[in-house]
Amino acid sequence: METIKIVLFVLGLFFGIETSTVIAEKTIVIVSPKTKTIVIQHENLLAIYPTEKDSLSIAKEFASIYTKKDSWNTHLDTFTEKYITYNATEKGVLSTKITLKYTKLEDLKVFAIDTNPEGKFSIINIPQWYIATENGKLNGNYWNFDADKKFSFSLSPVKNVPETYTIHKTMLHKVWQELTKE
């Protein structure tokens, strides 16, 4: 299996920002082999950081991510189309939808989505990410999916965050509101 170059739930990695502070509470990934599209939906973006770090630096970090929204990570150069949209609710929830168009299966390796010897799509099962799917099958340490059908899975990595971390759920929404006023 390939190494994971872009962790699906870490927003900054899509834009070349090597950070793990701004993440999604839940990420839904939909891969469509027929249209060669991968859609990554980040539900409820939040900041998760050590308690000694200040929220001002997190706000600056998110502002940097947002302003780089047209400057994609070089690992995504093989994707022919790349889009990101932000969605905010009245309740202070900020989400994103990233749509990527790939040309060959090897393009998906940046996310550690590969094919197994039987020709099925395969991703590693990392228990701390709480991977869930309705159309995959867990086979040892890997989730497998039919190669000719659309499949999806979700990740919920913030279910058991250590107490030494702070989780801010509304701060990013407020920063986003300020950035979109201009």
Side-chain angles (χ1 to χ4, degrees), residues 21-23 44-50 53-63 65-66 88-89 91-95 166-179:
T21 303
V22 177
I23 68 174
N44 197 10
L45 287 176
L46 49 88
I48 194 167
Y49 53 91
K53 196 169 183 180
D54 69 298
S55 61
L56 185 58
S57 63
I58 305 306
K60 287 179 184 176
E61 181 182 306
F62 179 72
I65 292 169
Y66 183 78
T89 68
K91 295 180 180 176
V93 176
L94 182 63
S95 300
T166 301
I167 299 174
H168 272 284
K169 292 188 177 189
T170 58
M171 180 183 61
L172 297 179
H173 181 268
K174 291 174 186 171
V175 174
W176 178 80
Q177 283 180 315
E178 289 298 315
L179 291 168

Side-chain angles (χ1 to χ4, degrees), residues 52-111:
E52 67 273 359
K53 196 169 183 180
D54 69 298
S55 61
L56 185 58
S57 63
I58 305 306
K60 287 179 184 176
E61 181 182 306
F62 179 72
S64 175
I65 292 169
Y66 183 78
T67 57
K68 290 185 124 194
K69 63 183 177 284
D70 296 320
S71 302
W72 295 86
N73 188 317
T74 56
H75 289 299
L76 300 174
D77 285 349
T78 59
F79 290 83
T80 57
E81 296 176 30
K82 301 178 269 289
Y83 308 101
I84 183 169
T85 55
Y86 285 83
N87 181 41
T89 68
E90 299 277 329
K91 295 180 180 176
V93 176
L94 182 63
S95 300
T96 67
K97 180 179 176 183
I98 296 174
T99 304
L100 305 167
K101 195 95 160 152
Y102 64 93
T103 55
K104 53 191 181 310
L105 293 177
E106 291 79 28
D107 296 344
L108 298 175
K109 288 184 179 185
V110 71
F111 303 113

